């Protein structure tokens, strides 16, 4: 398996291939809703990469996409993260590699924090976050979503928040 940057010219095909490899349950965990198909608008948005404000990595095995990790700038030098791994490749280290390499890419792009939402039912992803990102803050919301925030650099505010926690 190799992980590399996903480029705009190939992104539409890779997004479609990975989406087809997700079961309805995996799609629900990724999109937080039943998503039987990607609308044209969502597909375009997921494939719209500029390498800075919207960047992505693709995991490939035998030149076939098996996972995608995306980041999208949200302001204040932070980026939202989303990950999808096709069902046959889940729990085989693909998500771990994607998360680790996406964090490295985000740091190289000068982001100071990553964040995202994980459904509380997605315990495998929450275990991965706890194991791979030990400094991450997980906050459970009322809507069965866990907000994850991971500082790539430690600030004074982070230290104070950790002391309060």
């Amino acid at each position: 398996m190799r992980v590399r940057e996903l480029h705009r010219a190939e992104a539409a095909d890779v997004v479609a291939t990975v989406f087809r490899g997700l079961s309805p349950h995996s799609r629900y965990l990724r999109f937080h809703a039943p998503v039987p198909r990607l609308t044209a608008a969502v597909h375009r948005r997921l494939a719209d990469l500029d390498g800075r404000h919207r960047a992505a990595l693709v995991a490939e095995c035998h030149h076939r996409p098996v996972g995608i990790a995306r980041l999208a700038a949200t302001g204040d030098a932070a980026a939202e993260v989303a990950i999808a791994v096709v069902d046959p490749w889940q729990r085989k280290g693909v998500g771990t590699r994607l998360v680790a390499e996406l964090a490295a890419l985000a740091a190289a792009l000068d982001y100071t924090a990553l964040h995202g939402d994980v459904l509380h039912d997605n315990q495998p992803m929450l275990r991965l976050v706890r194991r791979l990102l030990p400094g991450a803050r997980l906050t459970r919301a009322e809507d069965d979503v866990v907000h994850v925030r991971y500082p790539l650099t430690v600030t004074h505010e982070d230290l104070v928040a950790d002391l309060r926690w």
Side-chain angles (χ1 to χ4, degrees):
M1 179 184 68
R2 78 176 184 144
V3 175
R4 63 175 179 82
E5 187 174 349
L6 182 60
H7 300 284
R8 179 182 281 175
E10 63 186 330
D13 289 339
V14 171
V15 166
T17 299
V18 170
F19 185 82
R20 281 192 305 270
L22 301 174
S23 66
H25 182 67
S26 292
R27 292 175 185 172
Y28 180 82
L29 292 175
R30 164 60 180 88
F31 294 99
H32 301 198
V35 180
R37 66 177 185 79
L38 286 179
T39 64
V42 171
H43 190 212
R44 272 192 309 276
R45 192 180 86 234
L46 293 174
D48 182 21
L49 304 173
D50 64 11
R52 169 71 182 109
H53 298 97
R54 293 171 313 283
L57 299 174
V58 59
E60 298 172 317
C61 188
H62 305 295
H63 304 289
R64 292 199 39 88
V66 297
I68 296 175
R70 295 183 82 252
L71 65 80
T74 57
D76 296 334
E80 183 176 25
V81 174
I83 298 160
V85 175
V86 299
D87 283 40
W89 284 88
Q90 292 177 7
R91 293 170 189 78
K92 295 184 179 180
V94 176
T96 299
R97 283 273 307 275
L98 284 170
V99 169
E101 294 198 27
L102 193 66
L105 174 63
L109 293 172
D110 294 324
Y111 288 102
T112 60
L114 299 176
H115 63 91
D117 292 335
V118 179
L119 288 177
H120 182 264
D121 292 346
N122 195 347
Q123 289 300 310
M125 179 56 76
L126 292 172
R127 281 192 298 274
L128 184 148
V129 166
R130 286 183 186 103
R131 181 174 40 88
L132 196 60
L133 307 174
R137 286 197 202 97
L138 284 68
T139 309
R140 184 145 181 203
E142 292 179 22
D143 55 359
D144 251 1
V145 170
V146 177
H147 300 294
V148 177
R149 182 165 178 80
Y150 180 66
L152 295 167
T153 59
V154 179
T155 66
H156 175 73
E157 290 79 18
D158 294 326
L159 292 173
V160 170
D162 284 345
L163 290 172
R164 287 186 183 144
W165 176 252

